[in-house]
């Protein structure tokens, strides 16, 4: 009878724990409880040790889920990780500089970042990779193509929602603008983009990727004074990484083609 009573108590306890985890919204503890109980018994963990393991598993999983939500909210077009960047393919990019940026101190200080170089030199990879690192570090991040951002601002202005849209882009900790310099912007679009940058100036970080050196930005921002003001806002106290002119994507394609001959 004693053994049966003991089994019923364990069953009742397991049911109570399962119910409590549902009510308290502790899905990881609920899922991992059986395995952790078995491990605690096997390794003879103390009550404190077992409770610590259980609570830490929930905390770690919550952190992971929060990071995943921030990465999704950023709107990156594809996954890119800094750990996958091939420095040997592009010696212009210094690992020490990127590793320093990966700490996200520059985002916390509200400093800008400019990635300048030709297509295929890794600008977007670094932009998305650093944006992902910032999201994982707890920062609110938003990614946008320059042309799409300007179109959104123009539409918002037409609907008398411009100040609200600028404020929304102003609130995130890091705004990543890709493909700046690919298309010429009319004065109205350029001025609206300038308003977004001004809203964020010395408060929240902006990171941009451009295939044009700063000297060529007058093709995108045709008003010289506006162009100078935008360059000033994107470089003051910031980091500039020049990824060069040699496309490593093209080099990889050529190497594969040669190997298949």
């Amino acid at each position: 009878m004693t053994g049966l009573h003991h089994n019923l108590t364990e069953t009742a306890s397991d049911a109570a724990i399962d119910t409590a985890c549902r009510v308290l919204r502790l899905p990881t503890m609920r899922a991992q409880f059986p395995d952790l109980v078995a491990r605690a018994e096997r390794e003879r963990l103390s009550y404190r040790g077992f409770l610590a393991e259980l609570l830490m598993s929930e905390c770690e999983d919550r952190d992971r889920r929060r990071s995943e939500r921030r990465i999704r909210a950023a709107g990156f077009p594809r996954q890119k990780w800094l750990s996958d960047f091939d420095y040997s393919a592009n010696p212009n990019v210094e690992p020490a500089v990127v590793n320093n940026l990966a700490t996200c101190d520059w985002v916390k200080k509200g400093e800008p970042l400019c990635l300048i170089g030709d297509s295929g030199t890794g600008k977007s990879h670094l932009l998305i990779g650093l944006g992902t690192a910032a999201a994982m570090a707890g920062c609110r991040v938003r990614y946008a193509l320059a042309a799409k951002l300007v179109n959104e601002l123009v539409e918002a202005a037409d609907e008398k929602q411009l100040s609200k849209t600028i404020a929304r882009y102003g609130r995130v900790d890091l705004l990543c603008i890709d493909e700046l310099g690919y298309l010429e912007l009319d004065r109205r679009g350029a001025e609206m983009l300038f308003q977004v940058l001004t809203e964020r100036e010395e408060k929240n970080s902006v990171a941009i990727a451009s295939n044009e050196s700063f000297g060529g930005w007058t093709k995108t921002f045709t008003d010289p004074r506006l162009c100078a003001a935008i360059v000033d806002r994107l470089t003051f106290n910031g980091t500039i990484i020049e990824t060069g002119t040699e496309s490593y994507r093209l080099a990889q394609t050529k190497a594969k083609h040669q190997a298949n001959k």
Side-chain angles (χ1 to χ4, degrees):
M1 286 296 291
T2 307
L4 182 62
H5 178 73
H6 177 68
N7 287 337
L8 285 171
T9 304
E10 280 196 348
T11 303
S13 297
D14 288 348
I17 290 163
D18 189 84
T19 302
C21 285
R22 283 175 186 272
V23 171
L24 296 171
R25 296 180 182 174
L26 302 169
T28 307
M29 283 177 64
R30 181 170 168 258
Q32 294 190 9
F33 176 75
D35 290 340
L36 284 171
V37 166
R39 187 179 145 208
E41 289 172 344
R42 191 170 61 249
E43 297 179 9
R44 296 183 181 176
L45 289 180
S46 65
Y47 292 128
R48 277 195 187 88
F50 170 61
L51 183 59
E53 288 279 347
L54 206 54
L55 291 171
M56 286 305 294
S57 69
E58 185 67 45
C59 291
E60 286 166 7
D61 207 46
R62 282 192 181 190
D63 281 345
R64 181 186 58 77
R65 290 198 302 271
R66 280 194 205 102
S67 292
E68 287 173 353
R69 282 198 297 272
R70 284 192 297 268
I71 290 168
R72 280 197 302 274
F76 297 119
R78 53 200 170 276
Q79 252 188 13
K80 293 287 181 184
W81 304 98
L82 292 177
S83 55
D84 295 330
F85 190 80
D86 187 356
Y87 293 100
S88 63
N90 190 345
N92 294 301
V93 180
E94 295 180 29
V97 173
V98 175
N99 290 340
N100 186 46
L101 290 168
T103 65
C104 301
D105 282 347
W106 61 286
V107 180
K108 290 162 191 165
K109 292 175 185 172
E111 294 172 351
L113 167 68
C114 296
L115 298 153
I116 311 289
D118 282 4
S119 295
T121 55
K123 301 185 306 299
S124 290
H125 188 142
L126 290 171
L127 185 70
I128 294 170
L130 287 165
T132 301
M136 291 177 74
C139 302
R140 292 165 300 172
V141 182
R142 188 72 191 270
Y143 169 97
L145 292 172
K148 282 190 176 179
L149 172 57
V150 170
N151 287 341
E152 186 182 341
L153 294 170
V154 169
E155 286 173 14
D158 291 342
E159 294 167 10
K160 304 210 167 16
Q161 298 288 314
L162 182 61
S163 58
K164 191 184 288 185
T165 304
I166 287 172
R168 191 174 75 245
Y169 277 106
R171 279 194 297 271
V172 296
D173 301 306
L174 173 61
L175 175 60
C176 299
I177 305 176
D178 207 351
E179 297 187 1
L180 188 67
Y182 279 73
L183 297 172
E184 181 183 319
L185 302 176
D186 62 25
R187 184 178 179 87
R188 186 180 180 218
E191 284 176 349
M192 288 178 189
L193 182 58
F194 179 68
Q195 285 181 58
V196 170
L197 299 178
T198 301
E199 177 75 15
R200 302 182 59 78
E201 188 181 11
E202 293 187 53
K203 292 185 294 183
N204 296 320
S205 289
V206 176
I208 65 101
S210 177
N211 67 330
E212 279 283 357
S213 62
F214 295 121
W217 281 23
T218 48
K219 287 182 275 185
T220 299
F221 306 103
T222 51
D223 181 317
R225 290 178 66 187
L226 183 62
C227 181
I230 286 172
V231 170
D232 181 63
R233 274 160 178 70
L234 288 174
T235 55
F236 183 68
N237 280 341
T239 303
I240 300 168
I241 296 177
E242 295 183 0
T243 57
T245 57
E246 304 255 339
S247 170
Y248 69 74
R249 279 206 302 261
L250 182 60
Q252 285 174 343
T253 304
K254 283 181 178 175
K256 281 179 187 171
H257 183 67
Q258 288 292 114
N260 292 331
K261 274 187 176 180

